Amino acid sequence: GGGGGAGGEGLGDQAQAGGWRDGGKGKGGGKNGPADYEMKVVTEGFEKSGSLPGSDGPPPEAVLYVNGLPPDCEDVDLYRLFNPFGAIVPKGVKVMMTPDGKCRGYGFVNFLEVESAQAAIEIFNGTYLPDGSTLHVKVKSQSGNAPNYWGSSGGGFGGGGGGGSAAAATVARTPIRVPAPRGSVA
């Protein structure tokens, strides 16, 4: 026989036998039918409540300035690159955009932990991009009284980056080179 506890074994058997009403694709509305609200409302409610880890803002040393991004870069692109290094605070990824919706070439990532930020800097800073430019990733310098989190307005970071720590800038490794896509001229 084998396996699992009383609850786990039953779930596994039902799933293997194809016993889910919706084929295991999550199409059901639960016991009470479809929900009459959007998931966005739930997410925003948790973010505004301050109950999520990092809701009070990240440590200043865990806020990264990322420069050298292409014009088509979006928040989700930075999230996909940086998320594997560790938890990112709510609303903690922001690509700065022009009024016509193009990336200005820089953005910010707010990690929950300093170690995650440092690991991302070690891997990404100095990466050669397909067009020959370089990706720069460093700890965001403090400027005036600017907050280290997005706040309820969704803003928080005005202009450029700046300093960063000397330790993060001196990485003894060969930079990564991101190849150009096949068939491109770059």
Side-chain angles (χ1 to χ4, degrees), residues 84-111:
F85 292 94
I88 295 173
V89 302
K91 298 184 180 181
V93 177
K94 184 70 175 169
V95 171
M96 304 312 290
M97 306 297 261
T98 63
D100 64 345
K102 290 193 170 119
C103 174
R104 293 185 185 269
Y106 69 96
F108 301 91
V109 178
N110 298 350
F111 281 102

Side-chain angles (χ1 to χ4, degrees), residues 63-163:
V63 178
L64 299 185
Y65 170 72
V66 183
N67 190 8
L69 301 172
D72 67 340
C73 184
E74 299 177 353
D75 292 353
V76 68
D77 299 314
L78 276 191
Y79 181 83
R80 287 178 61 195
L81 282 176
F82 286 86
N83 181 53
F85 292 94
I88 295 173
V89 302
K91 298 184 180 181
V93 177
K94 184 70 175 169
V95 171
M96 304 312 290
M97 306 297 261
T98 63
D100 64 345
K102 290 193 170 119
C103 174
R104 293 185 185 269
Y106 69 96
F108 301 91
V109 178
N110 298 350
F111 281 102
L112 192 58
E113 297 176 351
V114 174
E115 296 78 13
S116 301
Q118 288 302 317
I121 289 170
E122 288 176 26
I123 295 298
F124 290 139
N125 189 44
T127 297
Y128 297 117
L129 300 175
D131 66 353
S133 65
T134 304
L135 186 66
H136 300 281
V137 181
K138 59 187 172 184
V139 174
K140 179 189 175 288
S141 66
Q142 297 301 307
S143 57
N145 295 333
N148 285 329
Y149 51 91
W150 304 116
S152 58
S153 68
F157 291 109

